[in-house]
Amino acid sequence: MILITSLMGFALLNFEAAVEKVIPFEKNATTIAEMLLSLRQGIFPSDLQTLEELDINLCDDPTIADHLSCRQLPLEERTTYYSMIESQIMAYTQTSSEELSLLRREVSFLLVEKQLKVAASSKDLSISQAINAIDELDQTINLFTERLNEWYGLHFPELEKLVGDNVQYCTMIAQIGWRDDFKDDRISAAAKTSMGVQISGKDMHIIQCLAKQVVDLGKIRESYTSYIEEGVSAVAPNMTALVGPLITARLIALAGGLKNLSKKPASTMQMLGAEKALFRHLKTGAKPPKHGIIFQHPLVHNAKYWQRGKIARTMAAELSIAARIDYFSGEMMAQGLIDKLEARVNEIRKKNQYPPRKKNKGRGRKL
Amino acid sequence: MKEKFSNVYYDDIGFLTKNLVPGIRVYGEKLVTYNEEEYRAWNPNRSKLASALMLGLTIIPFTPSSKVLYLGSATGTTVSHISDIVSEGMIYCVEFSPRSMRDFIGNAKMRNNLVPILADAKQPIEYAPLLETVDVIYQDIAQVEQAEIVLRNLPFLKKGGHIMLCIKARSIDVTKDPNEMFKKEIETLSQAVDIVEIIDIGQYEKDHSFVVGIKR
């Protein structure tokens, strides 16, 4: 027999395409949507066990076909059969065509809402948002620090050179303010000979307001970093062990989730984040990029330029294995990957100790 | 204001459709009142169907009672105008991205002729139970095998029904000549479809072509 899924119920056809039996669904959009959702997710609903006792040779739904180990009905035939028998199912289940189109709409909305809930609840989406937020925080911190450089620089321009870190610079402005109040020897020495002018208390207060904001943004950034570290080591422990939490989070964000990332080949993993250069290469034949975001890993960016591409390639290969373990099993097997990566990197360094000889461009070899 | 096609109007500001939900904008378009009826301006820079119309598309297969399968509905800009046109019909909107779908269902709830489907258009069997036979298939999915996706969904289309396809050459292969890509996709389509109109909409969307066909 042939099984066809409709919103009103299952229809069983014999090979002359005559309806033999209809197993009706409860006329309730929520129940139908839940059943369809579970079939989409590849789970055979337990209340469909009655189907197991029937002699079904062909079935339109992939999950049911798989469960009953019968052949799947191609879409072409499914639509032909369905248009022949729709009115019979409607008569059997006493469904009017208005009811049917209303049911279609209701079930679709419920199904989409359920699917969206499933999609939104995945942890890696939250990690992607956090890593993007960190990039934006960095931009904002830099922007405000530049403004403070100009503004606070009216009073004490020498401070900027003495403090390396943006957030630290802003913390000093926010907490100390006047150049004469600095206790640090180096800074107070500079303050004595400062080129800056005296400013009013009102001006200083206004400047400190902005500096406080930067300090707060710095705190947010710190908490986001630890959130990512925590989240990423739960979602992708092997990748985290291999390249650290921030690169892992960036890769997940670029691929649009761990699921997508785990399906990408190693070569794509190597290029993620270098799309602009890659497409320039494809379009104009310029030199292809050697690395995308994995350049941020010290093994890659500290490597000698002639070894860098090879190391990036190896790292991407191990990363793609790690991503697959993380998505499909979640087991911790990173040590083996780390060992392999180290061994291969050492081999690359040994085999390519010297830079390649520069090719003689243009004139050719002199005889 | 003239009615150029069934439920599609033309004015000196361009094409318009009669607003199914008066007072509500879908994507910030201009609303125009004419004879106490509200119309929505159809922006050719936002909707590829509108740009094809501006560039002289002669076939609009929609009637007020048409049933449409729309593949790649995104956030529903073009869908909203087709929804205005097929006021008594039904549009089945397939979209794969949960993010776009989130924006789309807000609009879809207000319009009684939309059915949202969150699924991969390459696997039509998954959403077959939700569908009925349709009069038109509209496809705007920037994917490598654009024409192939139409062919896979063709069983839902009645015989003699129209397909409308917006090909993005740069999604198929950035390195090749766009015209070659259009030719390749049209050849694939021709296996089951008679091509009746091709419009190059490069003026509005770079390297895009709009194709209309009829199922054999």
Side-chain angles (χ1 to χ4, degrees):
Chain A
M1 278 193 294
I2 306 165
L3 180 102
I4 287 184
T5 320
S6 81
L7 287 187
M8 299 161 282
F10 292 116
L12 290 149
L13 282 70
N14 61 20
F15 285 98
E16 275 81 51
V19 180
E20 292 219 328
K21 195 179 172 185
V22 176
I23 307 170
F25 294 153
E26 203 184 317
K27 267 193 203 171
N28 176 330
T30 319
T31 344
I32 302 172
E34 261 160 25
M35 194 202 61
L36 288 178
L37 180 69
S38 121
L39 286 175
R40 288 267 188 92
Q41 292 171 330
I43 304 159
F44 187 80
S46 54
D47 48 334
L48 297 185
Q49 267 161 3
T50 44
L51 293 178
E52 288 168 7
E53 289 144 32
L54 299 164
D55 178 30
I56 296 166
N57 310 87
L58 269 169
C59 167
D60 63 345
D61 186 90
T63 308
I64 299 176
D66 200 43
H67 187 80
L68 303 178
S69 48
C70 63
R71 246 176 358 106
Q72 204 192 323
L73 191 66
L75 184 64
E76 184 94 49
E77 289 167 44
R78 194 251 171 217
T79 46
T80 323
Y81 283 137
Y82 182 72
S83 56
M84 287 195 289
I85 59 163
E86 187 181 47
S87 54
Q88 291 178 60
I89 312 177
M90 283 165 72
Y92 186 92
T93 56
Q94 296 182 326
T95 315
S96 67
S97 52
E98 286 80 26
E99 267 182 300
L100 181 57
S101 44
L102 199 69
L103 193 66
R104 270 201 195 99
R105 208 170 124 80
E106 269 182 70
V107 171
S108 302
F109 269 102
L110 286 169
L111 188 60
V112 165
E113 277 161 18
K114 282 176 200 299
Q115 285 174 304
L116 286 182
K117 275 202 185 113
V118 173
S121 63
S122 75
K123 181 93 181 153
D124 47 359
L125 281 184
S126 189
I127 292 172
S128 310
Q129 298 293 343
I131 192 86
N132 291 336
I134 282 194
D135 290 341
E136 280 149 16
L137 280 172
D138 282 342
Q139 281 175 19
T140 316
I141 289 174
N142 286 341
L143 190 71
F144 282 167
T145 311
E146 264 175 57
R147 173 60 51 228
L148 282 166
N149 254 338
E150 298 297 321
W151 205 347
Y152 184 72
L154 296 174
H155 173 60
F156 188 12
E158 291 81 3
L159 182 65
E160 188 225 341
K161 289 274 181 303
L162 297 170
V163 190
D165 183 63
N166 280 345
V167 177
Q168 209 189 335
Y169 174 67
C170 294
T171 315
M172 284 180 175
I173 299 175
Q175 285 175 0
I176 304 169
W178 303 107
R179 65 183 179 214
D180 299 331
D181 296 346
F182 280 93
K183 297 278 178 291
D184 184 282
D185 290 343
R186 221 159 43 101
I187 298 176
S188 59
K192 276 182 193 121
T193 57
S194 176
M195 299 188 294
V197 296
Q198 281 300 338
I199 55 171
S200 73
K202 198 177 164 196
D203 285 345
M204 180 56 83
H205 178 71
I206 288 288
I207 293 171
Q208 281 179 322
C209 279
L210 188 58
K212 272 180 202 139
Q213 284 306 313
V214 181
V215 175
D216 286 348
L217 289 178
K219 279 183 195 143
I220 297 178
R221 190 192 188 283
E222 254 169 54
S223 72
Y224 282 12
T225 317
S226 59
Y227 167 79
I228 287 173
E229 276 165 14
E230 224 168 86
V232 137
S233 53
V235 171
N238 290 290
M239 289 182 71
T240 312
L242 204 58
V243 293
L246 289 185
I247 298 180
T248 305
R250 289 220 155 83
L251 284 169
I252 291 175
L254 283 167
L258 184 61
K259 185 184 177 186
N260 291 353
L261 190 64
S262 67
K263 289 177 179 170
K264 299 241 187 293
S267 50
T268 305
M269 190 95 72
Q270 190 185 343
M271 294 293 108
L272 274 180
E275 285 76 11
K276 206 176 158 193
L278 177 68
F279 284 108
R280 194 196 313 125
H281 160 66
L282 290 174
K283 269 185 178 166
T284 67
K287 276 189 182 173
K290 293 194 275 288
H291 30 60
I293 208 76
I294 62 170
F295 177 76
Q296 291 179 356
H297 194 274
L299 262 187
V300 180
H301 76 238
N302 290 344
K304 303 196 167 73
Y305 72 88
W306 66 92
Q307 298 171 348
R308 210 178 278 151
K310 297 183 199 334
I311 292 177
R313 178 151 33 91
T314 313
M315 181 173 282
E318 300 305 330
L319 263 176
S320 78
I321 296 172
R324 282 163 213 187
I325 301 172
D326 283 336
Y327 180 69
F328 291 103
S329 91
E331 249 175 273
M332 189 63 191
M333 311 167 74
Q335 199 49 48
L337 298 175
I338 295 171
D339 293 345
K340 252 166 67 188
L341 178 64
E342 269 175 18
R344 177 75 186 122
V345 169
N346 287 334
E347 193 187 332
I348 290 169
R349 286 186 181 144
K350 219 173 172 185
K351 277 190 181 165
N352 303 280
Q353 284 181 11
Y354 306 105
R357 259 197 281 170
K358 288 260 158 61
K359 274 175 205 152
N360 205 354
K361 275 181 196 162
R363 286 185 210 142
R365 209 148 42 110
K366 274 178 195 163
L367 285 168
Chain B
M1 192 182 284
K2 270 194 299 191
E3 186 169 359
K4 279 250 180 163
F5 302 95
S6 144
N7 267 349
V8 179
Y9 302 85
Y10 186 76
D11 194 351
D12 31 312
I13 63 160
F15 285 90
L16 306 100
T17 56
K18 199 184 282 173
N19 198 349
L20 200 63
V21 202
I24 305 281
R25 285 186 175 84
V26 175
Y27 57 100
E29 69 280 17
K30 201 172 173 185
L31 299 178
V32 180
T33 311
Y34 186 82
N35 278 353
E36 289 172 21
E37 299 248 38
E38 193 177 86
Y39 296 83
R40 294 164 56 231
W42 200 348
N43 186 343
N45 293 311
R46 297 288 300 273
S47 166
K48 286 161 216 157
L49 181 52
S51 52
L53 277 169
M54 291 298 274
L55 296 169
L57 184 76
T58 58
I59 303 165
I60 286 283
F62 308 116
T63 66
S65 61
S66 285
K67 300 203 162 47
V68 184
L69 172 58
Y70 193 112
L71 305 170
S73 52
T75 52
T77 307
T78 306
V79 172
S80 70
H81 285 285
I82 300 180
S83 152
D84 286 348
I85 301 171
V86 298
S87 47
E88 316 280 307
M90 195 60 90
I91 313 176
Y92 297 91
C93 310
V94 180
E95 172 57 45
F96 187 46
S97 152
R99 184 65 192 85
S100 299
M101 189 50 98
R102 199 172 93 190
D103 288 345
F104 177 63
I105 54 171
N107 294 325
K109 269 188 190 147
M110 277 187 275
R111 295 171 172 266
N112 289 324
N113 55 4
L114 298 185
V115 173
I117 298 172
L118 182 64
D120 185 354
K122 287 179 202 162
Q123 309 290 345
I125 194 92
E126 286 199 346
Y127 49 85
L130 295 168
L131 244 61
E132 58 188 321
T133 307
V134 296
D135 307 303
V136 185
I137 292 183
Y138 185 102
Q139 200 250 46
D140 181 6
I141 302 178
Q143 273 286 336
V144 182
E145 61 263 275
Q146 277 201 279
E148 173 62 28
I149 293 173
V150 173
L151 293 184
R152 282 197 201 176
N153 283 279
L154 223 46
F156 294 121
L157 187 64
K158 69 170 189 196
K159 214 177 162 205
H162 284 73
I163 64 122
M164 300 183 103
L165 169 66
C166 183
I167 307 173
K168 181 179 177 186
R170 292 297 182 205
S171 282
I172 301 165
D173 195 329
V174 275
T175 61
K176 303 245 167 67
D177 174 28
N179 288 325
E180 249 170 62
M181 292 298 107
F182 295 144
K183 222 190 268 168
K184 197 187 114 211
E185 293 300 292
I186 288 165
E187 236 166 63
T188 315
L189 273 183
S190 307
Q191 292 170 19
V193 172
D194 292 321
I195 307 294
V196 288
E197 195 164 13
I198 302 170
I199 303 240
D200 182 358
I201 56 167
Q203 222 174 305
Y204 289 98
E205 293 275 347
K206 215 177 151 209
D207 302 323
H208 279 66
S209 212
F210 203 89
V211 179
V212 184
I214 295 175
K215 184 181 176 182
R216 240 175 256 141

